[in-house]
């Protein structure tokens, strides 16, 4: 009976999605790059900016999405791909190129970085075709619907996952999406949102996951504990059998989500996993939190949640529900700030903001929808001429350095040697370069000097507190960058756009 309910609900909702895709207008905000900025764990580890600062292209087929990826100068060149219409097997083919690694029948984000995929116009629907993220970083997926992806039957795609991440994935923000199936494994479907084999720093926000046997997992087996640092907030989980999510090892933070009609088990923290569960609303569901189907315990910290008509099963060797009176059995800290809506208003604020084609609205922290805002930049305060450097000691001399990529023949240490004739270059037109110290050091000003012959190449950038992922400043062009003095161990200059291959001769740091 439960499976029949899933299938009937899935058919009705699929019809609703088709109607929305055919006639729903979107705001002007949705016709540009990703709106707002990444929240939760996706804001840590240097942050998640996707294709910011790069070219924007339009795609109406899966092949066109692959072509956009393959037409970049390099696999890390930033790009925003605006998608409209229905993406399916018939219009998604492999495209070859030096900046991509694609395949037929799946949207392949493999061995690449700095990409935004955003639905625009009348909407973007990925019909029976999944999005696969592998060996990739700095990815944003926003305002799209992915539905009815199968691992068995016909057609199949992405192992049956609507969105699947695996093998060395970092910094992914999935926002305002609708992920849905029409049943469980017997009907050919798998997970809606899966992470495995060393996937870290992910946020799923303002999204709908519904009508599936499995909501998603973090870790593919009890031994796959290399995943974690995942945030779920302001999402609706509806008519899901289990895995909302399944957490094996690692840390996950769930706040302000609405869980409705969870049929068998919900947040399943096991194999040493630790879940921070704040101000969620659980409704008409069973065993919404605990360790299930294993004797390898997981842990949770609970606060401010509402349990409305939730039933709890009896405890045994492999079934350990947190209820009927859930209490914390661990403590979990997160490296970012966040604002909690009161749990009592979660069903309302989530219904008004979550999912594709909702205008990308977010909560203002007081249960009221509002338009997202990007991190402010101050165009009236551009970088100054670095030929007039700050006074004081250049703290980079004698410090350590590293980065995300480098071209052949260069060294990270070239940016902290006081020698303008040596330089560091990223592998392509974007990349990170960092200065780091063994103990906390106060920095309030940075000078970026470009090497001879490369003046004016650096375009957009972010200056990031690498200790917690906070963006200290953003702007364009090399020069002197002033900001509120901050105590940190590592500071990263992230180049997100340029007019060629940048050459950073010196990355100077000063206390003020």
């Amino acid at each position: 009976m439960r499976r029949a309910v899933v299938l009937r609900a899935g058919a009705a909702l699929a019809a609703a999605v088709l109607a929305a895709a055919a006639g729903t207008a979107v705001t002007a905000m949705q016709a540009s790059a990703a709106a707002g900025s990444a929240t939760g764990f996706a804001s840590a580890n240097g942050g998640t900016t996707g294709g910011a600062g790069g070219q924007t292209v339009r795609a109406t087929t899966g092949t066109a999405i692959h072509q956009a990826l393959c037409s970049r100068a390099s696999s890390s060149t930033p790009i925003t791909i605006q998608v409209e219409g229905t993406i399916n097997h018939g219009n998604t083919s492999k495209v070859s190129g030096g900046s991509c690694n694609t395949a037929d029948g799946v949207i392949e984000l493999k061995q690449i970085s700095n990409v935004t995929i955003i639905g625009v116009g009348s909407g973007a629907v990925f019909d029976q075709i999944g999005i696969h993220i592998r060996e990739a970083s700095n990815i944003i997926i926003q305002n799209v619907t992915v539905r009815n992806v199968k691992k068995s039957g016909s057609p199949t795609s992405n192992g049956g996952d609507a969105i699947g991440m695996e093998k060395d994935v970092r910094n992914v923000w999935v926002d305002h999406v609708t992920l849905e199936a029409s049943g469980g494994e017997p009907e050919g479907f798998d997970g809606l949102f899966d992470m495995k084999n060393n996937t870290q720093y992910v946020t799923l926000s303002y999204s709908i996951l519904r009508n599936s046997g499995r909501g998603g997992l973090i870790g593919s087996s009890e031994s796959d504990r290399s995943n974690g640092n995942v945030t779920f907030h302001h999402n609706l989980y509806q008519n899901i059998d289990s895995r909302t999510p399944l957490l094996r090892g690692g840390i996950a933070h769930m706040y302000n989500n609405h869980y409705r009609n969870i049929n068998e088990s919900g947040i399943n923290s096991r194999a040493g996993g630790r879940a921070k569960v704040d101000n969620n609303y659980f409704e008409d569901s069973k065993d919404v939190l605990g360790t299930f189907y294993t004797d390898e315990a997981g842990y949770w910290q609970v606060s401010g949640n509402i349990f409305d008509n939730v039933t709890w099963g009896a405890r045994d060797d492999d079934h350990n529900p947190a209820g009927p009176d859930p209490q914390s059995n661990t403590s979990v800290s997160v490296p970012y700030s966040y604002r909690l809506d009161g749990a009592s208003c979660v069903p309302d604020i989530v219904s008004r903001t979550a999912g594709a084609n909702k205008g990308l609205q977010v909560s203002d922290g007081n249960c009221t929808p509002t338009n997202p805002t990007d991190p402010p930049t101050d165009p009236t305060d551009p970088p100054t001429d670095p030929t007039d450097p700050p006074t004081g000691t250049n703290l980079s001399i004698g410090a350590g350095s590293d980065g995300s990529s480098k071209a052949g023949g260069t060294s990270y240490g070239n940016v902290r040697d006081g020698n303008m004739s040596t330089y560091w270059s990223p592998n392509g037109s974007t990349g990170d370069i960092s200065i780091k110290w063994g103990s906390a050091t106060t920095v309030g000003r940075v000078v970026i000097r470009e090497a001879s012959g490369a003046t004016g190449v650096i375009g957009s950038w972010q200056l990031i507190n690498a200790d917690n992922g906070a963006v200290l400043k953003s702007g364009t062009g090399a020069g002197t960058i002033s900001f509120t003095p901050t105590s940190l161990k590592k500071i990263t200059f992230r180049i997100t756009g340029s007019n060629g291959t940048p050459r950073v001769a010196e990355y100077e740091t000063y206390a003020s």
Side-chain angles (χ1 to χ4, degrees):
M1 180 64 69
R2 172 176 48 75
R3 296 294 182 185
V5 169
V6 168
L7 289 171
R8 287 198 298 271
L13 286 164
V17 170
L18 280 173
T24 303
V26 297
T27 64
M29 171 180 59
Q30 288 173 269
S32 61
S37 55
T39 53
F41 272 112
S43 68
N45 191 45
T48 304
T49 56
Q55 181 185 14
T56 297
V57 301
R58 183 68 68 100
T60 58
T61 68
T63 303
I65 294 173
H66 285 165
Q67 186 63 57
L69 296 172
C70 296
S71 298
R72 297 184 295 164
S74 75
S75 62
S76 62
T77 301
I79 189 169
T80 294
I81 304 173
Q82 299 176 343
V83 182
E84 184 174 15
T86 299
I87 309 302
N88 55 36
H89 283 74
N91 63 31
T92 302
S93 299
K94 174 183 175 68
V95 177
S96 299
S99 60
C100 65
N101 187 349
T102 69
D104 291 332
V106 62
I107 299 303
E108 194 77 277
L109 307 180
K110 182 177 179 180
Q111 297 168 345
I112 62 174
S113 60
N114 308 326
V115 174
T116 293
I117 294 177
I118 181 170
V120 298
S122 60
V125 178
F126 294 76
D127 184 25
Q128 302 181 79
I129 194 164
I131 299 174
H132 183 215
I133 304 171
R134 181 183 177 95
E135 298 171 83
S137 63
N138 196 25
I139 306 293
I140 295 175
I141 300 172
Q142 195 171 48
N143 198 44
V144 303
T145 293
V146 186
R147 68 184 185 204
N148 291 333
V149 181
K150 285 191 170 185
K151 70 174 182 178
S152 63
S154 179
T156 60
S157 179
N158 197 32
D161 297 335
I163 296 178
M165 291 159 270
E166 63 176 315
K167 193 177 181 184
D168 303 332
V169 174
R170 292 290 185 275
N171 289 88
V172 176
W173 180 36
V174 179
D175 176 66
H176 284 92
V177 304
T178 298
L179 308 177
E180 58 190 10
S182 296
E185 191 171 21
E187 291 77 37
F189 305 98
D190 197 6
L192 295 177
F193 195 71
D194 278 12
M195 292 154 277
K196 49 195 173 185
N197 194 5
N198 194 24
T199 294
Q200 300 269 353
Y201 301 105
V202 176
T203 294
L204 176 67
S205 57
Y206 295 98
S207 295
I208 295 173
L209 298 87
R210 62 189 173 197
N211 300 333
S212 176
R214 297 169 174 173
L217 56 77
I218 305 170
S220 59
S221 67
E222 305 297 73
S223 61
D224 182 15
R225 305 189 186 192
S226 58
N227 312 278
N229 296 325
V230 183
T231 301
F232 304 82
H233 74 90
H234 293 93
N235 303 300
L236 170 64
Y237 284 84
Q238 183 175 22
N239 197 22
I240 303 288
D241 288 346
S242 63
R243 302 185 179 183
T244 66
L246 164 58
L247 169 65
R248 293 175 166 120
I251 291 173
H253 185 197
M254 302 84 170
Y255 71 90
N256 286 151
N257 301 292
H258 185 195
Y259 301 86
R260 186 177 183 185
N261 302 120
I262 307 304
N263 301 315
E264 296 175 3
S265 62
I267 299 170
N268 185 354
S269 180
R270 56 199 265 189
R274 293 189 296 147
K276 182 175 175 63
V277 185
D278 297 328
N279 286 35
N280 301 281
Y281 196 102
F282 300 91
E283 181 180 10
D284 298 337
S285 298
K286 178 184 177 182
D287 284 341
V288 294
L289 174 65
T291 295
F292 307 108
Y293 319 119
T294 182
D295 59 1
E296 295 194 39
Y299 308 95
W300 43 85
Q301 178 182 336
V302 293
S303 175
N305 302 288
I306 291 178
F307 300 90
D308 180 2
N309 192 31
V310 172
T311 60
W312 303 91
R315 290 184 172 85
D316 58 34
D317 290 343
D318 65 354
H319 190 87
N320 182 29
D325 181 23
Q327 299 293 317
S328 300
N329 57 17
T330 191
S331 178
V332 181
S333 61
V334 294
Y336 52 83
S337 60
Y338 59 101
R339 296 182 65 181
L340 285 171
D341 289 309
S344 61
C345 78
V346 163
D348 177 67
I349 190 63
V350 168
S351 71
R352 297 165 70 183
T353 57
N357 301 314
K358 287 286 188 71
L360 296 179
Q361 287 199 316
V362 299
S363 174
D364 66 353
N366 294 298
C367 301
T368 302
T370 186
N371 289 329
T373 56
D374 292 303
T377 58
D378 187 0
T380 63
D381 184 25
T384 57
D385 186 347
T387 59
D388 183 20
T391 58
T393 301
N394 176 9
L395 304 172
S396 299
I397 302 295
S401 55
D402 61 27
S404 61
S405 61
K406 59 185 177 183
T410 68
S411 166
Y412 300 132
N414 287 341
V415 302
R416 54 178 177 82
D417 61 2
N419 184 350
M420 285 293 293
S421 66
T422 63
Y423 62 85
W424 164 85
S425 287
N427 215 345
S429 58
T430 63
D432 295 358
I433 183 69
S434 301
I435 300 295
K436 57 184 181 179
W437 299 270
S439 58
T441 301
T442 298
V443 181
R445 188 170 296 186
V446 160
V447 178
I448 301 296
R449 299 177 181 271
E450 293 177 285
S452 176
T455 303
V457 171
I458 293 175
S460 57
W461 50 261
Q462 290 182 322
L463 192 66
I464 297 166
N465 179 347
D467 293 356
N468 58 20
V471 177
L472 301 171
K473 196 88 172 193
S474 57
T476 58
T480 301
I481 307 164
S482 299
F483 52 96
T484 302
T486 303
S487 178
L488 42 72
K489 291 185 178 180
K490 182 176 177 180
I491 185 168
T492 298
F493 183 69
R494 169 166 292 169
I495 303 171
T496 58
S498 58
N499 302 312
T501 301
R503 298 179 181 179
V504 178
E506 289 299 301
Y507 179 176
E508 301 174 1
T509 52
Y510 297 87
S512 60

